[in-house]
Amino acid sequence: MALLLGFLLLLGLCEGTLSQGPPSSTYSPDGLEFEFPAVNYETKDSYEAGPIGIFFQIVHVFLHVVQPNAFPEDILRKAVQKKLDLSADYEKIISYEIGIIICAVLGLLFIILMPLVGFFFSLCRCCNKCGGEMHQRQKKNGTSLKNCFALSLLVICIFISIGIIYGFVANQHMRTHVEKTRKLSESNFNDLRTLLNATPGQINSLLDQYTTTKERAFSDLDNVKLLLGGRIFEQLKPRVIPVLDDIKAMAEEIHETREALVEVNRILTEMKQLSTNLSHSLGNVKRNVEQALTDPMCSVQPVMTTCTNIRNSLSLLDGSISFDQLPSLDEQMDNLTNILRTNLSSLVQKGYTSIKAIPGIVQNETVNVISDIKRTLDSIGSDIKNMSKKIPIQEKLSDFIRHLNNTENYIHRHLPTLEEYDSYWWLGCLVVCCLLTLIVIFYCLGLLCGTFGYDQNATPTRRGCISNTGGIFLMVGVGFSFLFCWLLMTIVVLTFVVGGNVEKLVCEPYQNRKLFQVLDTPYLLNADWKYYLSGMIFNKPDIHLTFEQVYSDCKENKGIFTTLKLENIYNISEHLSITEHTGNINKNFGNMNIKIDNIVLLDEEGRRNLMDFSSSGVEKIDYGTFLDVTGKNPTKVNLLSYANDLEAKANHLPQGNLKQSLKENAGNLRNIHRVEIIPLQKLMSTVHQRLKELQQKSRGLGVKVSNIIFFLDSAQDFITTRMSTIITEESKKYGNTIIGYFEHYLQWVKISITEQMAACKPVATALDSAIDVFLCSYIIDPLNLFWFGIGKATVFLLPAIIFAVKLAKYYRRMDSEDVYEDDVETIPMKKYGKG
């Protein structure tokens, strides 16, 4: 019944169930994110038997030894097709069942022979045979035999007790877990109903996230100025902006050059004036010294020598530089003044403005196209919503509700009966275990009383009451063993045949999926259908849809669309094609006609301005002469050194007008150096530095201007010839970005519907719960453990009977005994009876 129920459940669920495991997220490269709603379930994916599982494994190993043959697929196929002929196929059946048959035959022999042996044994004992005579012969090794029999019986009792423990554990395990069946079934049905209730929400979630995609697309459409116009500008920027930057720098250089020339010309004028004043001052000093040297003291030695030296050095006071020889800079200044009448910076700014205006132009040119695209996107949402209604998932789910309700009602209707039968079974197994326990107790009491009550000095006829009670307990145990062992073995054989076959024919092939392979045999369940599932679901039996594939896909939590191959009913790939849903978008982008004309980087006036600057003469200034003149000292000699030397010579002269006059002129020279030489030197240094900068800037001026004109022409030509191509390419990229959002969304919808929506893991879980958990783990495993334990205990009753009967002779009080006379040699004389 459980097996049939499990497959009915699979067939019903396969007609239209869905499940969803962990939540899934999809992330697009552009950051667009979609979330599939998560569903939580109660039923666990796997079942663990716990510590008792090791006992189940022992039984499985035993069954594999007894029944090592492969799963009889051919026989099962014939049985399902009702083509099994016992007269023709009995050899195959016997060959497969040979191990179980042998064990069952041995069990039947045990069932038949043990009562017969017990009957004849009882008759024999009543006739004082078979150990029934209450007389024990004395043996030299009697003590050893007694101990050996006692130890053997103790070991056998231990083995029997282990089997009884197996029986108790198996019985309690079955009862405990059968009580969980109701909760297990409710958990599975709750999961399935959760899926049914979650399905509309999942479908609505897919549709609602179209809004996210549309809002992202609308945001990009509203930002067309930056995303499209900005990209067009970025394409032109590397070719255009550097040229405009160079022209702007050249305009600043023109201003700086004129300002430098004006400054140099002004300083030259000051320098000429200072040079004239210096020459006049030095001439006055020179004349004053010459006048002083006419003093009469200069005709007397040694003053004459000093005066001569001073007179010879006066030529050093002449000026060393004549600034009048420097060329005029007026022509260059006039040229630059004329050039600056044209505002080159403002002309360059117009070029910047025209380039930077491109994004705004793009926005203005695409207003109507953007509006059309937005209307198209709104219509796509309606198309997707209508398309979702055509997918047959909801239809299959509606069909499933009836199957789900019928199955649940069937299970709930029969669960009380199952629980009632389980109570009977539990009570019966408990009685069986208690009977075996009672037998073991008798044996153990016999061993306990016999061992502790045994007196080695007592003769067999004088044994104590405790020892005699032990022997009686042993014989009671033997009696119970003969009385019930055949009944116990009958239960063992029946449960062994049923449990072993169900384990080998259902549980094991279900776990290795060979059972599905048999069910998937073409034309097996329906002679007119090649594949039963596809014929039942689609009425198209030629579609390759198998039980094993459905179960495996559900086990892997695949969607019902993929699992049941619903593409044979509805081709979702075709209806989710981006071409079908976004054809109008491509058409609208194809109609986008952006015109960006009349972009002039620099007009003819600006070009002439640059050419005039290259021919302004700044480059041809005689910088060598200027730098040579301004790099010299204003005087032939250092006036401070000369003044110090003059004062030192005057100090060696005798007091008088000569000495005083020379000292005064030395002071005048120092004053000239401070007032005239130092300012003149500063001006010359400034002019020298400015001229070096001008020389550096003007070097290769013509080449620089020519290069700027060349790159300006190249950039202007690039704009003229490539602008339309750039607009087309960037418009295509922009359109692909917008369409890409919907491609990504539709791809996510396709993946969600085919792989995530209606993921049928609870179907596999429900089937596992019905067969693997309920039938095999809750019932068959403990059933097999029960017969394994009880069977082992029952088999060990046979040697226990033998040893118990043997041992009882040593514990029970005998009616007679062997008597020996204590002579030189002990000679048995005769037997004496009681009284």
Side-chain angles (χ1 to χ4, degrees), residues 168-183:
F168 274 116
V169 170
N171 190 37
Q172 187 61 32
H173 183 273
M174 181 183 292
R175 179 174 178 81
T176 302
H177 285 76
V178 168
E179 290 175 352
K180 298 179 180 179
T181 303
R182 184 180 299 273
K183 182 178 179 181

Side-chain angles (χ1 to χ4, degrees), residues 301-314:
Q301 289 291 349
V303 177
M304 180 186 296
T305 302
T306 302
C307 290
T308 300
N309 292 335
I310 293 173
R311 186 178 293 107
N312 291 335
S313 66
L314 288 177

Side-chain angles (χ1 to χ4, degrees), residues 208-353:
D208 291 342
Q209 295 192 59
Y210 174 78
T211 304
T212 302
T213 307
K214 186 178 73 172
E215 288 176 353
R216 181 62 181 271
F218 275 31
S219 176
D220 284 2
L221 291 172
D222 293 335
N223 203 18
V224 66
K225 178 179 181 180
L226 177 62
L227 296 179
L228 179 54
R231 289 174 183 172
I232 295 173
F233 171 76
E234 291 297 326
Q235 289 289 330
L236 298 176
K237 184 178 178 179
R239 301 293 297 269
V240 174
I241 298 301
V243 176
L244 295 177
D245 290 342
D246 289 342
I247 298 174
K248 183 179 179 181
M250 188 61 69
E252 294 175 355
E253 186 176 337
I254 294 173
H255 280 280
E256 292 173 357
T257 301
R258 184 182 180 282
E259 290 175 358
L261 288 177
V262 170
E263 183 182 8
V264 168
N265 198 49
R266 177 184 60 78
I267 294 174
L268 286 175
T269 302
E270 293 181 10
M271 288 168 53
K272 289 178 181 180
Q273 183 61 42
L274 289 175
S275 177
T276 301
N277 294 338
L278 176 62
S279 298
H280 180 69
S281 298
L282 291 177
N284 290 335
V285 172
K286 184 178 181 182
R287 285 191 297 272
N288 290 335
V289 173
E290 288 177 346
Q291 183 63 34
L293 293 177
T294 60
D295 191 282
M297 291 183 65
C298 287
S299 59
V300 181
Q301 289 291 349
V303 177
M304 180 186 296
T305 302
T306 302
C307 290
T308 300
N309 292 335
I310 293 173
R311 186 178 293 107
N312 291 335
S313 66
L314 288 177
S315 60
L316 296 175
L317 296 178
D318 295 334
S320 65
I321 300 176
S322 176
F323 295 108
D324 293 334
Q325 64 179 343
L326 295 176
S328 174
L329 300 176
D330 292 338
E331 180 182 356
Q332 288 82 0
M333 289 175 59
D334 292 340
N335 290 337
L336 292 176
T337 301
N338 292 331
I339 291 172
L340 290 174
R341 288 193 178 96
T342 299
N343 191 344
L344 183 60
S345 296
S346 64
L347 297 178
V348 174
Q349 192 60 43
K350 290 180 180 179
Y352 279 120
T353 302

Side-chain angles (χ1 to χ4, degrees), residues 417-469:
T417 304
L418 174 66
E419 293 171 349
E420 182 181 359
Y421 289 163
D422 177 65
S423 298
Y424 297 152
W425 171 260
W426 176 81
L427 184 60
C429 292
L430 190 63
V431 171
V432 169
C433 293
C434 289
L435 283 175
L436 278 170
T437 304
L438 182 63
I439 294 173
V440 173
I441 289 174
F442 281 131
Y443 285 147
C444 291
L445 287 175
L447 285 172
L448 186 64
C449 294
T451 301
F452 288 99
Y454 184 77
D455 184 2
Q456 287 185 335
N457 298 320
T459 62
T461 58
R462 294 182 177 87
R463 286 171 182 157
C465 180
I466 296 177
S467 177
N468 186 58
T469 302

Side-chain angles (χ1 to χ4, degrees), residues 185-215:
S185 64
E186 290 177 353
S187 174
N188 279 281
F189 285 116
N190 288 340
D191 288 345
L192 295 174
R193 283 199 166 81
T194 298
L195 295 172
L196 289 174
N197 296 332
T199 304
Q202 291 175 340
I203 295 176
N204 292 333
S205 177
L206 294 180
L207 300 178
D208 291 342
Q209 295 192 59
Y210 174 78
T211 304
T212 302
T213 307
K214 186 178 73 172
E215 288 176 353

